[in-house]
Amino acid sequence: REWLERNREWLMDELGEHGALHFKGFRLPATSAGLRDFCSALPLVPCADPLASVGVRSLLSAPDGVYEAVNAESLSKTFIGLHNDVTYKLAAPFAAFACFQPAELGGGDFLLADGRAVLATLPAGVLATLRERLLSVRVASIPFGWLADLPLPPSLLAALRGAALSVVGAILSAKVPLDLAVAFSADERTLQILEQPKAPVNRHPASGAPTFFSSLHSQSAHLQRRRAGGGAAGGT
């Protein structure tokens, strides 16, 4: 901790310049309390998870402000993305990640991408296409194939889908402060919870530097199909 405190200004300058710092060989962030102490020395200020009210991530230690992202065997094939979305509503300029228990059976990789470098290498045509199409990130999905398979008149099915959208939308508005939207997938078999459409270029909330918008995480239709071995869940 003493070394961190002596070098905090330089470290924070490096963080601002490069976007990420990788610390290796430090014993302090081996526990939730140690991670909190480690971050305080830089200093990084803890904040509440905006999705804490819906239990998307487990709170590992309330006094230390540490949340748990991967804590079950069922998530072993899941890509957990620390994505830079929802900055239209709220954003933390920095985040800290620590691995308290290495993966035992493979996996456990932590991937970093410099959004500025990605933006610089994207062909202009691809960026223009993404800008025209925008992007609605799927936060969660609810299977509704059972409703689509009911032998009911199309008008009644449409009314039931509308009622489902209204109920889920009302619950989200009351519980999640992110201006989320709800819509059915193209095949009408999946109710999707979506973020607002966004352009492919984002800005860092502190520096304002433009960066490629990235929100590839476990709800990505591509990753869902890959986990299912090619079987498709309804995409956005």
Side-chain angles (χ1 to χ4, degrees):
R1 181 185 171 90
E2 291 180 2
W3 182 87
L4 293 170
E5 291 177 338
R6 288 197 308 269
N7 294 278
R8 69 170 65 179
E9 291 187 8
W10 170 69
L11 288 168
M12 294 304 292
D13 287 343
E14 290 292 293
L15 179 59
E17 172 66 21
H18 301 288
L21 296 176
H22 183 196
F23 294 95
K24 298 178 64 175
F26 285 77
R27 292 189 298 271
L28 185 59
T31 64
S32 58
L35 177 61
R36 174 71 184 88
D37 197 25
F38 187 93
C39 294
S40 297
L42 286 177
L44 296 177
V45 180
C47 62
D49 186 338
L51 298 181
S53 61
V54 294
V56 173
R57 286 173 284 272
S58 301
L59 180 60
L60 186 63
S61 173
D64 303 314
V66 177
Y67 292 83
E68 197 170 29
V70 183
N71 60 357
E73 178 64 25
S74 60
L75 297 174
S76 62
K77 296 183 179 180
T78 298
F79 185 101
I80 306 296
L82 300 180
H83 32 287
N84 60 358
D85 53 351
V86 200
T87 51
Y88 63 87
K89 187 66 176 178
L90 46 82
F94 305 104
F97 171 83
C99 180
F100 295 148
Q101 180 178 344
E104 298 176 355
L105 301 175
D109 300 309
F110 190 85
L111 308 178
L112 287 175
D114 187 336
R116 298 167 297 182
V118 174
L119 181 61
T121 57
L122 275 179
V126 173
L127 193 60
T129 299
L130 292 173
R131 187 182 296 112
E132 292 171 2
R133 294 176 58 185
L134 298 179
L135 175 68
S136 291
V137 176
R138 183 168 63 189
V139 177
S141 59
I142 304 173
F144 261 80
W146 58 270
L147 178 59
D149 293 336
L150 292 177
L152 298 175
S155 58
L156 181 54
L157 287 173
L160 292 173
R161 283 193 290 268
L165 291 174
S166 297
V167 171
V168 175
I171 294 173
L172 288 173
S173 298
K175 298 286 288 183
V176 184
L178 299 181
D179 291 343
L180 298 176
V182 291
F184 274 91
S185 57
D187 61 6
E188 298 183 333
R189 300 183 67 86
T190 304
L191 190 153
Q192 305 174 121
I193 299 174
L194 307 169
E195 293 178 7
Q196 297 296 320
K198 294 181 288 295
V201 178
N202 202 351
R203 288 189 178 275
H204 189 278
S207 69
T211 179
F212 179 69
F213 168 78
S214 171
S215 194
L216 183 65
H217 56 67
S218 60
Q219 290 297 330
S220 160
H222 168 74
L223 292 172
Q224 285 189 333
R225 286 193 294 268
R226 192 173 73 177
R227 286 199 301 274
T236 56

